[in-house]
């Protein structure tokens, strides 16, 4: 960031000088006597909010897939998520986490059900 005003402002407690370039990083704040505190997360939220106006959706309806030579696999799974959400897929070794991601991404076709992007 670069400041060109006349008021005394402080970045993380350090005086901001005119014309100097500063890193406005995670956890940082700008404060001044004549202004409310400005936080990094607020500024980042403005930029990311613009990026997420057009949502990307993932919708899987009743997908199933059996592992080769096994009765195990994915059974009747439905999921709907939008961009901007964090999703965790947990499970032990060999239970199908990678297979599920392959089906959801379109690398592997499910035996039944549909996946929409």
């Amino acid at each position: 960031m670069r400041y060109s005003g006349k008021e005394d402002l402080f970045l993380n407690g350090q005086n901001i000088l005119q014309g100097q370039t500063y890193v406005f990083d995670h956890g940082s704040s700008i404060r001044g006597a004549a202004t409310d505190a400005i936080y990094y997360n607020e500024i980042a939220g403005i930029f990311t909010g613009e990026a997420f106006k057009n949502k990307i959706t993932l919708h899987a309806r009743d997908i199933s897939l059996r592992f080769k030579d096994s009765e195990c696999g994915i059974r009747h799974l439905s999921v709907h998520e939008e961009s901007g959400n964090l999703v965790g897929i947990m499970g032990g070794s060999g239970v199908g986490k990678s297979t599920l991601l392959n089906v959801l991404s379109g690398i592997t076709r499910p035996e039944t059900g549909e996946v929409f992007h």
Side-chain angles (χ1 to χ4, degrees), residues 22-71:
Y22 297 89
V23 176
F24 189 41
D25 206 2
H26 290 280
S28 294
S29 65
I30 299 171
R31 298 178 188 271
T35 184
D36 291 333
I38 301 168
Y39 298 97
Y40 172 86
N41 287 344
E42 293 172 350
I43 302 300
I46 292 168
F47 286 101
T48 57
E50 288 295 317
F52 289 116
K53 277 188 177 176
N54 296 322
K55 297 278 186 181
I56 298 170
T57 61
L58 170 70
H59 184 76
R61 186 182 323 147
D62 199 27
I63 58 173
S64 294
L65 177 73
R66 273 193 344 217
F67 296 139
K68 204 178 259 187
D69 300 325
S70 173
E71 292 297 315

Side-chain angles (χ1 to χ4, degrees), residues 4 7 16 46 56 60 64 66 75 91 98-99 113:
S4 61
E7 301 296 323
I16 298 173
I46 292 168
I56 298 170
S64 294
R66 273 193 344 217
R75 294 186 185 161
S98 296
T99 302

Side-chain angles (χ1 to χ4, degrees), residues 19 24 60 78 88 95:
F24 189 41
S78 295
V95 298

Side-chain angles (χ1 to χ4, degrees), residues 63 65 74 77 79 89 96-105:
I63 58 173
L65 177 73
I74 301 168
L77 175 72
V79 63
I89 300 173
K97 300 178 299 291
S98 296
T99 302
L100 174 60
L101 290 175
N102 286 340
V103 170
L104 293 177
S105 68

